[in-house]
Amino acid sequence: MSKKGAHNKSTKKCEIWKKLWEEITNHRMMTIIVFVLILVVAIVIWTVSTASNVIVAGGSTSVAPIMNDITEQYKKNRGEDIVYNALGSAAALVGVQNGSYAFGFLSKDVNSTPKTGDNGANAQNLWNNKHVLRFVFARDYILLTYHLPNGCSLKTDPLTNKPIPLNFSAFFGGDGTKLIQKIYDHNITWGAAFKDQLVCSPAGGNSGFYTLTREAGSGTRDFFESSVIKTKSYSTDQVASSNGAMYQTLATTPGSIGYLSFSFIERVASDPELGIQAVASVTGASDPKSELPYVYEDSTKTYDFNPDYSLVRPFTGIVNTEGKHFNKALEFIAWMLDPKPYDDYQKRGIPLTPNDAAYWYIHEGDQPLTHDDIYFLKYNNNTNFAINGNGTLPGWGMNKKYLSIWDYIIRQNPHYDHNYPVYTGTDEVSN
């Protein structure tokens, strides 16, 4: 072979590898690769779990801290082993449907009925075709978090002399969404984005944003894309593989902006490079009042949930009702979902203890549910409405064999409360 021919062959190989790399780095191709890897891992996990009596679950990395706490407590209380694999929300959907997970968790909502682009990940399809049931165990608050660029500082409140956190107008398609789109597309500077809220030197004001998002398949990223930025097509400077990775980058990178779960609020508040002023407030779509995600309790020096904050999401669970370990999994889920301990804490002042799952939700920065919370009603206690609707609103198209998770629980565990109100189709939060 001539040198010229060898050179041409080498050049073609380089071009092939270049094109392959371009395809792999394409977002759609990356999503496929992540899906395949999740499937392979799920098969391995299923093989191991079927050979033992261990209950295997998996899903959202945001849920992992809670699961670490409550599975350890459950083992102390009941002697049952539960293994949780934090491989992302997408892994929960794959693993529960194929039976490798007894149950799984997603840090995002699962629609009740089909929606364009959901790829069958809705409660109607999961139940009618896969015997998979949806539920919700807690509410998470999303923190829009930033690290000011060098040369910029927040304006201060003249009464308290404390920094005033940055404020975003309404999201869910409002002015806040338009601003965050400009930020992530690098079409605006810090000074132009927050000209009335910052004091900046010329260099600081002209600084660009260093934008952060989460990895493909993350429920936190899904919430950010569906509710905050309202698009899946945006540029970003860095993809963080977890809440912890995003927090570390925010803490060490002036000019950065991203989003975290509420469980990180104590770390942000105590970080000398960030501080609690690094958490933005949000103006609701229907209420002109600016709301922070937290209420500071001075007596206890803690950050509590602000029920008026708009950027909240459910922590969603799914369980395979035909899975090998369904009955054992249901016992654990019943303990997780039982609203009585948090009811007693909220309404009677009875302290929570480590034996209550709600204790660990609060410990990790997530809000438990009372029996009359809209999340508990709509997602956990909805049998009749899901099948039949309410005469005015249609149901969700569930077949006649459908039972809500709470009806499954009280059928298996008669000591749980049978008299809680049920969902009737009115999405009003009951405080």
Side-chain angles (χ1 to χ4, degrees):
M1 183 183 293
S2 68
K3 289 185 178 180
K4 184 177 179 181
H7 175 74
N8 288 339
K9 189 174 182 181
S10 175
T11 301
K12 286 180 181 179
K13 284 184 178 180
C14 289
E15 288 174 354
I16 290 169
W17 283 111
K18 184 179 179 182
K19 286 180 180 178
L20 179 60
W21 177 247
E22 286 173 353
E23 285 298 314
I24 289 173
T25 54
N26 177 273
H27 177 77
R28 184 176 296 177
M29 191 66 178
M30 281 299 290
T31 302
I32 294 170
I33 290 170
V34 169
F35 178 84
V36 171
L37 288 174
I38 287 169
L39 187 60
V40 170
V41 171
I43 292 169
V44 173
I45 292 167
W46 177 82
T47 303
V48 172
S49 64
T50 52
S52 67
N53 210 29
V54 174
I55 300 172
V56 179
S60 168
T61 58
S62 297
V63 176
I66 292 174
M67 286 301 294
N68 289 339
D69 293 334
I70 66 176
T71 54
E72 184 177 338
Q73 186 65 43
Y74 192 73
K75 185 174 182 179
K76 289 179 182 176
N77 294 351
R78 309 285 182 89
E80 293 282 355
D81 274 316
I82 297 174
V83 175
Y84 185 75
N85 296 289
L87 297 175
S89 295
L93 286 165
V94 174
V96 172
Q97 289 183 76
N98 70 20
S100 56
Y101 291 158
F103 58 94
F105 294 109
L106 302 85
S107 50
K108 61 179 181 179
D109 199 358
V110 171
N111 296 316
S112 300
T113 54
K115 185 177 179 181
T116 302
D118 69 9
N119 296 317
N122 59 78
Q124 180 194 104
N125 178 63
L126 289 172
W127 171 258
N128 289 348
N129 298 315
K130 305 289 185 179
H131 307 286
V132 170
L133 197 60
R134 169 195 65 171
F135 59 92
V136 165
F137 70 91
R139 176 184 282 105
D140 188 37
Y141 290 60
I142 300 298
L143 312 178
L144 289 176
T145 312
Y146 51 86
H147 189 153
L148 293 178
N150 296 325
C152 284
S153 61
L154 296 167
K155 289 187 175 180
T156 57
D157 186 320
L159 296 177
T160 64
N161 203 35
K162 292 182 178 179
I164 302 171
L166 293 179
N167 173 255
F168 283 87
S169 297
F171 287 110
F172 303 95
D175 289 342
T177 293
K178 294 172 185 175
L179 177 57
I180 205 77
Q181 287 174 352
K182 288 182 180 179
I183 288 172
Y184 272 76
D185 286 337
H186 300 94
N187 288 331
I188 197 168
T189 63
W190 275 90
F194 301 107
K195 57 185 176 183
D196 298 325
Q197 302 182 55
L198 292 174
V199 177
C200 291
S201 67
N206 288 327
S207 297
F209 288 84
Y210 186 84
T211 57
L212 298 163
T213 195
R214 288 288 304 278
E215 77 284 4
S218 161
T220 315
R221 173 172 171 161
D222 184 81
F223 181 85
F224 176 74
E225 292 176 346
S226 64
S227 302
V228 180
I229 201 167
K230 295 293 285 184
T231 181
K232 292 183 179 293
S233 300
Y234 58 94
S235 60
T236 188
D237 293 305
Q238 184 175 331
V239 176
S241 61
S242 65
N243 272 297
M246 185 171 287
Y247 162 70
Q248 289 295 336
T249 302
L250 284 164
T252 56
T253 311
S256 58
I257 188 167
Y259 47 93
L260 297 167
S261 290
F262 194 91
S263 57
F264 275 73
I265 194 163
E266 296 282 355
R267 269 178 267 191
V268 171
S270 61
D271 192 300
E273 299 299 324
L274 297 174
I276 196 60
Q277 66 270 14
V279 176
S281 64
V282 176
T283 302
S286 58
D287 187 346
K289 187 180 177 184
S290 173
E291 297 288 354
L292 288 161
Y294 61 87
V295 176
Y296 184 67
E297 298 292 343
D298 194 51
S299 59
T300 57
K301 309 297 182 188
T302 56
Y303 297 91
D304 206 351
F305 313 104
N306 179 1
D308 295 322
Y309 184 68
S310 58
L311 291 184
V312 297
R313 59 174 174 168
F315 270 163
T316 305
I318 52 175
V319 59
N320 191 329
T321 59
E322 293 192 344
K324 175 184 176 183
H325 295 300
F326 174 62
N327 288 334
K328 283 191 173 184
L330 192 63
E331 290 179 18
F332 176 74
I333 292 168
W335 175 68
M336 281 188 71
L337 296 187
D338 185 8
K340 189 175 187 305
Y342 195 57
D343 276 339
D344 289 342
Y345 171 72
Q346 286 285 83
K347 298 168 185 179
R348 301 173 187 86
I350 300 174
L352 294 165
T353 75
N355 292 320
D356 304 315
Y359 172 94
W360 296 107
Y361 302 161
I362 294 174
H363 175 75
E364 295 295 350
D366 297 298
Q367 187 178 32
L369 308 180
T370 57
H371 76 276
D372 52 0
D373 187 300
I374 185 59
Y375 278 6
F376 186 84
L377 296 172
K378 183 175 182 178
Y379 295 101
N380 300 341
N381 203 12
N382 54 34
T383 300
N384 186 61
F385 181 86
I387 298 172
N388 303 309
N390 63 8
T392 303
L393 295 172
W396 299 330
M398 305 301 195
N399 63 40
K400 296 296 182 181
K401 293 182 179 180
Y402 175 80
L403 284 177
S404 70
I405 191 70
W406 194 250
D407 279 334
Y408 263 108
I409 287 168
I410 60 178
R411 175 182 285 188
Q412 179 170 304
N413 303 279
H415 65 279
Y416 285 106
D417 199 309
H418 288 60
N419 300 310
Y420 289 146
V422 300
Y423 182 62
T424 59
T426 303
D427 284 6
E428 296 292 334
V429 176
S430 179
N431 292 316

